[in-house]
Amino acid sequence: MNLQDTSSLAPTELAPSASGSPFKEPAADGYILGGFTWRHAHQDIARPVVIINAATSVRCRHYSRFADYLFANNFDVITYDYRGIGESRPASLKGLNATWSDWGALDFEAMLKRAQREFPGQPIDVVGHSFGGCAAGLGASGHLIRHLVTVGAQFAYWRDYAPAHRWRMFGKWHVVMPLVTMVCGYFPGKRLGWLEDTPAGVVRDWSTPTDRYEKRPSGRVIHAKHGWLPFANVSAKTLAISISDDPYGTIPAIERLLGYFTGGTTTHLRIEPKDIGEEEVGHFAFFRSPYQATLWPIALSWLQNGELAPDTPGRRVPRS
């Protein structure tokens, strides 16, 4: 079994932006989170602030060029790392009690509170990549979100993986990753070139197989620790972008997550690489700077207006 499928390798664009200023922010449980802020010199209550939620174990620096782009288009921007990752990593990951639900209910919630405090009166928008789209539904203050854009956002449920890649991905993420984590006490993803190093609890949430998924899944991981499922708090106008060659972001996977967002309107845009003159895009490339002219304007239009521009590439997936 070849586990080095390039479609799921971690991203490489990690240079910090010259525009982003570092910050530290405590979550409700006292854990100190690190991130960067892009702030215009003069406050404007009509100017939105965008929080960017990263994919699982992808550093927030991967999104710095996209943050620069939003900043240049008159947004303030916050990027941050979940506990255990990048700017929010402790000296050792062994024994760190961090889960997917912590990343949403504690860490993303802290960013919503920060945006409300640091940018009073300004609209709050969110961009969520992969798990970052799930995290957007987990904050108790989700009602603050005006516009939400998700990219390849899903629960990493193995039955939803693209059939051509499913068993290779199952072996990598649901067999090898948890076994290595059991030995090391955390997942040393950076050494393997797969992910950033990842807390054991997050690995458990991702890798544990289950058949207890319904059309709208039961939310076992999210319920397990914090005991509630606040997706319905989000009343934002939501755009879910999926790419046809993303082996994680299949139509069933995207629709499974969208089934939770019952409090607002949702649109699913499906893009094929050929729609933008490319042969492949995959799971990570959306936020890389070569796509500034083709993919980034789609997210920008939605953040600005809550609508797709008439010439937007791709097709809308009918919602059931």
Side-chain angles (χ1 to χ4, degrees), residues 80-100:
Y80 70 103
D81 282 311
Y82 308 118
R83 61 188 63 202
I85 308 299
E87 309 301 316
S88 304
R89 176 174 177 152
S92 175
L93 289 184
K94 291 183 178 180
L96 175 65
N97 184 17
T99 65
W100 263 349

Side-chain angles (χ1 to χ4, degrees), residues 66 69 286 291-302 304 309 312:
F66 183 68
Y69 171 79
F286 185 100
Y291 296 92
Q292 178 171 335
T294 53
L295 292 177
W296 294 4
I298 301 171
L300 177 65
S301 177
W302 192 270
Q304 290 173 328
T312 300

Side-chain angles (χ1 to χ4, degrees), residues 118-276:
E118 295 291 319
F119 302 92
Q122 294 180 220
I124 299 174
D125 296 339
V126 175
V127 173
H129 181 206
S130 196
F131 168 76
C134 305
L138 297 179
S141 301
H143 61 279
L144 297 174
I145 305 171
R146 181 189 66 152
H147 296 152
L148 169 62
V149 174
T150 69
V151 178
Q154 30 64 45
F155 284 105
Y157 176 42
W158 69 272
R159 291 185 184 274
D160 288 338
Y161 294 156
H165 302 276
R166 182 175 299 149
W167 293 111
R168 180 171 64 245
M169 293 168 68
F170 183 88
K172 180 175 182 175
W173 301 120
H174 301 269
V175 178
V176 175
M177 182 170 66
L179 288 176
V180 172
T181 301
M182 287 177 62
V183 172
C184 298
Y186 69 99
F187 181 63
K190 198 165 184 178
R191 273 182 277 168
L192 297 174
W194 291 8
L195 296 167
E196 290 295 308
D197 297 344
T198 305
V202 172
V203 171
R204 181 176 60 251
D205 288 347
W206 180 349
S207 63
T208 304
T210 180
D211 292 322
R212 296 188 330 219
Y213 281 87
E214 308 153 18
K215 184 176 181 182
R216 287 182 56 208
S218 60
R220 63 177 174 94
V221 169
I222 298 160
H223 278 298
K225 190 168 185 181
H226 295 284
W228 43 276
L229 188 63
F231 282 86
N233 290 346
V234 179
S235 59
K237 296 185 72 173
T238 298
L239 172 66
I241 300 172
S242 66
I243 310 295
S244 64
D245 69 334
D246 176 358
Y248 301 93
T250 62
I251 290 177
I254 303 299
E255 290 294 309
R256 189 182 299 280
L257 175 60
L258 285 180
Y260 275 130
F261 287 100
T262 59
T265 60
T266 57
T267 299
H268 180 180
L269 179 69
R270 185 76 169 171
I271 301 171
E272 296 188 23
K274 67 180 181 181
D275 294 335
I276 58 169

Side-chain angles (χ1 to χ4, degrees), residues 48-65:
V49 53
V50 179
I51 302 170
I52 300 178
N53 287 348
T56 295
S57 301
V58 174
R59 295 184 67 173
C60 69
R61 292 174 184 242
H62 173 63
Y63 306 92
S64 63
R65 291 178 175 85

